[in-house]
Amino acid sequence: SSPGLGTVRIADVDTISALQQNAQWHQRTLFLINAILSASLGLFCACIWLLRRQETAMGWYVLASLAWLAFLYNLLATETAPLPNAQVFMQVHISAFVLYTLCFCTFTWHFIQRKAPRLQWGLRAYTVLALLCIWVLPMPLQAATLALSFCGSVLILCLNCVLVSVWAWRSHELASRLLALTMTACIVLALLSILSLGQVIALPVNLVAYTSLLFTVFLAVILAMRLTS
C-alpha cells in the first residue's frame, strides 16, 4: 500500500485481472462511493441549515463535506487539469485537507454542544499558518511543508476524535454517545492502517477507505436521530 508503481506481478490473464479488479475496488471505487455519500449527506445538511439556521453544526458539516470532496478529487482525478501542474495540484490537495480538519473538528464541537474557545482559536491559528506555509514558502521547502501539514492535520483529527469521544460519552444524549462510538471505531481502524502502512502488522486490505465510508454511513444515522429527537 505504498505510493508508486508497487509490486510488479507476472501471471496468467485471469489472475492479473482479479488482482486489478481488487485494486480498482480498494483504490478507486470505495473512494468514489464515499464521495457520492459525502456529497449527498452534505446536500441534505445544507437543506437543513437553510431551513434552520440555528443548526450551526449542519453548516459546519456542509463546509467539511466540500473540503472532503476537494480532497477526494486528488484520489479520483486522472490528470491535474484544470490546475496548471502537479505542484499546484498537491498544494490544493493538502490545503483542502487542512480546511477539512478545521471544519470537521468545529462540526463535532457544535454537534455535542461543547464550547471550546481556546481550542477553536488554536485550530484556526494552525489552519492559517499551515495555509500560509503551503502557498508562500519557496519550492525547495514545499515537499517538507506539505508532509508536515498533512501529518499535523491527521494528528489533530486523531486527538480531536479522542477528545470528542470522551466529551460525547459523558453526555446522556444517545446521538452524542453513538458519535463517540463511531469516532472510536474510526480511530482503531486508522491506527491499524498506519501500522499496516509501516509494515508493523499485515492486513489483507487498506482500511482507510472503509474508515471514511463507515463514518459517513453512521453519521447519516446519527444526524437523523438528532433531527428527530
Side-chain angles (χ1 to χ4, degrees), residues 8 18 25 71 87 115 134 140 165 176 186 199 202:
V8 177
W25 168 258
F71 176 75
Q87 177 61 36
K115 295 182 178 179
I134 290 173
S165 296
S176 295
C186 289
Q199 299 182 348

Side-chain angles (χ1 to χ4, degrees), residues 4-22:
L5 182 62
T7 303
V8 177
R9 299 177 183 272
I10 300 176
D12 59 89
V13 175
D14 292 336
T15 300
I16 294 300
S17 177
L19 290 173
Q20 193 276 333
Q21 291 178 9
N22 182 67

Side-chain angles (χ1 to χ4, degrees), residues 54-75:
Q54 69 274 18
E55 296 285 351
T56 54
M58 299 296 176
W60 280 106
Y61 185 78
V62 173
L63 295 177
S65 295
L66 291 174
W68 181 246
L69 290 174
F71 176 75
L72 285 180
Y73 178 75
N74 175 268
L75 303 176

